Amino acid sequence: MTTKQNLDYKFSKEEVLEDLRIAIESRHASLIGRKEVFMGKAKFGIFGDGKEVPQLAMAKFFQNGDFRSGYYRDQTFMFAIGELSIQEFYAQLYAHTDVEADPSSAGRCMNAHFSTRSLNPDGSWKDLTKQKNSSSDISCTAGQMPRLVGLAYASKLYRENKDLNGAEIAKNFSVNGNEVAFGTIGNASSAEGMFFEAINAAGVLNIPMITSIWDDGYGISVPNEYQMTKNNVSAALSGFQKEKDTNGLEIFTVKAWDYPALVDTYKKAVDLARKNHTPAIIHVIEVTQPQGHSTSGSHERYKSEDRLKWEDEFDCIKKMKEWAIDEGFATQDEIDAIEKSALNKVKEERKAAWDAFKASMKVDYEVAVDLLKRATSSLPQNNDILRLSKELQKTINPIRKDAISIVKKALREMRFENIPVKAEMQAWLKKVKEENYDRYSSYLYSESDEAALKIPPVAPEYSPDSPMVDGREIMQAAFDKIFEKDPRVFAIGEDVGKIGDVNQGFAGLQDKYSEIRVTDTGIRETTILGQGIGAALRGLKPIIEIQYLDYIYYAMSTLSDDLACLQYRTKGGQKAPVIIRTRGHRLEGVWHSGSPIAALLNSLRGINFLVPRNMTRAAGFYNTMLKSDEPALIIECLNGYRLKEKMPNNLDDVCTPLGVPEVIREGSDITIVTYGSMCRIVMEAADQLAKIGINVEVIDVQTLLPFDVNHMIKESIRKTNRVIFADEDMPGGTTGYLMQKVIDEQQSFDLLDSSPVCIAARPHRPAYSTDGDYFSKPNAEDIFEAAYNIMNEVDPVIFPEIY
């Protein structure tokens, strides 16, 4: 074993004993945590036992301003950097919904999902350079890797962008780009595509990213031989090794039980990353997992007796104790005292967490018990209410669900009664409904003063001599002003740099604003998005481009599992206001048709979903979102870049409002609800319909999330009494969404004199060629026929059958 005498790093007795204390406390937290799950106090448990010593080594070199993007075994690291207490660890295990009890997620994530709070209660940024930071964990294996790239990339931007380096606007986020991003992942998850894409991106970008791979030889029950080429992840990655005059990563291999070697390795890797922005992989091998993967299984089922014996002998804490004694840093008596003290502390902290959790549930429980007792006194003849009251009083470890469910059942029994306690029950249910909305459903979007819905609209202004230009020129002029105003804004994506994107929206801007701000990337949608998320978590304003909407599927997991639920799963503790720019809708062919809207709508709640019909509206959305602190997906119309639009005089100030549809044609007979490229199709049909006396009102919804917050569409239907929902998504997709929002949510059904009609594409992707588009997606004739058929039913004499 490596000893203190031949290392640059010098240990002290106090440091070693403190590290032993943290490691032993963490181990007891894991062991007792597993028992809590089996006792029914928690739903599930996953713990970091076996990884304590490597994480202690990593924590030594984690400084204020640094960021972690890790996975659910990192409790020891979080303890060591002082950003997680044992009581908080158990509060999350019990799902305590108080953000003070569980600062990581306020009970919204299962245990071992760690994060720090980057935001003040009002949603404003804290000074991230003065605290140790952890981005919010997600369960998806390797899902932390794309974000990790962005967290490290932000350091590069803060260092190399001359308008940010040392600037006032950057002072709360970076000290000259010196921050390192630390990632952690398991060996089995390293076989995921996200991992390989992220490692490749780090090597290309030369960013300060340290990736630790905790390798225990298994992925649940599946050994490494089934996981990785060469049975060894660092061997498989050897081609990424940085060499003289090449980019790449430094690759280190170290044993999980060798404390001094771990410290030496992390020191070398972090020094390189912090000074030179050289990324590194630290492959930590011979990791043990004393309790197996999680509480849902036993590792004795798949590990041999020899393996289990080896794991006991090479347990990292056991080996660290032996080293500490051999090197004179500790005596056995001192270690025994630490063991005793650690166990007592963990038990006390666990009890405090459980007592606090029970107390948080007790208030509603006691109110419900009291209400039911009084109901029983008022209705002594009602045996069902008496039974419900006794049932609630006998509940062991009651939660809010128990109290609310039984009170609702009691009110059913009292539906014909008129007694005071009934009204009190109803009022209490209304009160707790609001409280539980805050506990379990708030912060899907920002609730700060910079929330997107709070950004005031600014309409485009024109003069008689305002020129007609191509839509692409609108976008180019808008982005030019955006980059001029704010050095925090940057754009990345395939072909956005040198050629100014495939439709010229960024034409000339790389030359004007530098390569560090308008940057080409490889074909890697997931880590393009990850670069945006990580950078936005560090105060920057990314515009990341997915070249065509169809390609967004490559990044869907990261969009849905990470970005969309970020504010929600931290209960307003973190935000990443990324703008995802893409283009879609009317193009020909199976893989460039650009209308998988329903798939996105149902996956991306938490991201604003903006569908401008032209480039002026799109420019206004970019301005709005850059003033906001929320993420957005902006889908530009692919066939709009060469269509003519007037250039607004105030383009740099235009802000298109969210959740506000626009009536683009007034009418009295039928309301047609649509958006994006379909607006032109519908307007063409509206002209044709007008010639035969049918006046349709055309509404461009403009944003799908949020949707018509003032119920403007309902008011249109109040006038026309008929509605068509027109979209180029597949049947039952976005048209179904539109109808649910208008008919169900806005309660417009009783205003209708005719059945609502949905017009969608065929249930397949569009065939190639102009004919393929025409027969695959709705066209003007389809709109005409749908509207005419409605009017034929209204008055078949004036509107007789045509076909």
Side-chain angles (χ1 to χ4, degrees), residues 534-545:
L537 279 163
R538 295 189 56 194
L540 294 167
K541 291 183 173 291
I543 300 173
I544 72 101
E545 181 168 305

Side-chain angles (χ1 to χ4, degrees), residues 59-241:
K60 289 183 184 301
F61 306 102
F62 192 87
Q63 298 181 2
N64 283 350
D66 289 347
F67 260 89
R68 165 192 169 273
S69 182
Y71 92 139
Y72 37 77
R73 304 286 187 189
D74 291 348
Q75 70 200 46
T76 308
F77 173 81
M78 295 299 293
F79 291 149
I81 64 171
E83 293 298 333
L84 178 72
S85 71
I86 294 170
Q87 185 170 338
E88 289 168 347
F89 173 79
Y90 281 111
Q92 190 177 62
L93 182 70
Y94 302 137
H96 195 150
T97 57
D98 188 337
V99 75
E100 298 298 324
D102 172 21
S104 289
S105 70
R108 294 181 177 185
C109 295
M110 68 174 65
N111 84 300
H113 287 64
F114 308 116
S115 70
T116 52
R117 302 195 75 76
S118 300
L119 307 178
N120 296 307
D122 65 357
S124 61
W125 289 101
K126 294 183 176 182
D127 188 339
L128 303 186
T129 69
K130 290 184 168 57
Q131 65 180 43
K132 294 179 171 67
N133 303 287
S134 173
S135 60
S136 174
D137 291 351
I138 59 178
S139 287
C140 316
T141 55
Q144 68 272 33
M145 295 301 297
R147 180 195 336 133
L148 174 63
V149 174
L151 291 167
Y153 185 64
S155 290
K156 179 173 183 170
L157 292 171
Y158 280 119
R159 179 173 289 184
E160 297 185 13
N161 183 345
K162 59 183 177 58
D163 294 320
L164 288 177
N165 194 314
E168 180 72 15
I169 201 170
K171 70 175 185 178
N172 287 349
F173 303 104
S174 180
V175 180
N176 301 323
N178 293 334
E179 299 78 22
V180 175
F182 291 71
T184 63
I185 192 168
N187 53 291
S189 300
S190 298
E192 292 267 24
M194 287 184 183
F195 173 82
F196 278 93
E197 190 173 312
I199 293 301
N200 179 61
V204 170
L205 294 168
N206 292 309
I207 50 177
M209 176 175 129
I210 305 290
T211 304
S212 298
I213 304 170
W214 313 135
D215 190 346
D216 64 8
Y218 292 85
I220 305 184
S221 66
V222 181
N224 273 350
E225 64 187 278
Y226 296 105
Q227 305 278 1
M228 187 65 62
T229 298
K230 300 183 180 180
N231 197 22
N232 183 307
V233 62
S234 55
L237 294 172
S238 58
F240 287 99
Q241 174 66 53

Side-chain angles (χ1 to χ4, degrees), residues 557-726:
S557 177
T558 302
L559 277 167
S560 181
D561 297 324
D562 198 351
L563 180 60
C565 64
L566 176 63
Q567 285 237 18
Y568 171 78
R569 71 178 186 270
T570 61
K571 201 181 181 185
Q574 294 184 0
K575 60 184 176 183
V578 184
I579 296 176
I580 302 104
R581 180 196 185 208
T582 188
R583 47 191 69 82
H585 306 307
R586 305 298 293 220
L587 192 67
E588 299 160 357
V590 173
W591 291 285
H592 295 83
S593 53
S595 294
I597 306 298
L600 301 174
L601 274 175
N602 292 311
S603 302
L604 303 185
R605 304 299 170 99
I607 298 175
N608 293 285
F609 200 132
L610 316 183
V611 283
R613 70 179 183 275
N614 60 33
M615 300 307 159
T616 301
R617 268 75 189 170
F621 280 137
Y622 285 104
N623 290 336
T624 298
M625 294 314 305
L626 286 166
K627 290 181 179 180
S628 161
D629 62 355
E630 297 178 26
L633 171 65
I634 302 179
I635 305 172
E636 298 167 17
C637 292
L638 190 51
N639 55 5
Y641 295 107
R642 296 192 179 279
L643 296 179
K644 298 295 184 182
E645 299 180 36
K646 271 191 175 184
M647 176 70 78
N649 299 335
N650 62 335
L651 184 62
D652 53 329
D653 294 321
V654 172
C655 286
T656 309
L658 274 63
V660 180
E662 183 179 355
V663 177
I664 58 178
R665 181 187 179 111
E666 292 191 356
S668 57
D669 293 324
I670 304 172
T671 298
I672 302 183
V673 180
T674 192
Y675 64 91
S677 289
M678 278 296 294
C679 288
R680 286 191 289 277
I681 306 295
V682 172
M683 289 293 278
E684 180 184 345
D687 289 340
Q688 297 172 14
L689 288 161
K691 291 176 182 178
I692 62 168
I694 300 175
N695 296 309
V696 299
E697 182 148 295
V698 181
I699 297 182
D700 174 12
V701 301
Q702 300 205 98
T703 69
L704 293 167
L705 294 172
F707 181 87
D708 189 11
V709 295
N710 298 317
H711 293 189
M712 179 190 295
I713 297 170
K714 180 177 182 178
E715 294 311 306
S716 175
I717 295 173
R718 191 185 302 278
K719 175 174 61 174
T720 65
N721 307 118
R722 299 171 184 88
V723 65
I724 293 173
F725 300 103

Side-chain angles (χ1 to χ4, degrees), residues 15 62 202 223 246 265 274 310 331 338 606 617 693 708 762 767 787 795:
E15 175 187 14
F62 192 87
T246 71
T265 300
R274 204 175 298 282
W310 177 89
T331 65
I338 291 172
R617 268 75 189 170
D708 189 11
R762 297 290 183 182
D795 192 335

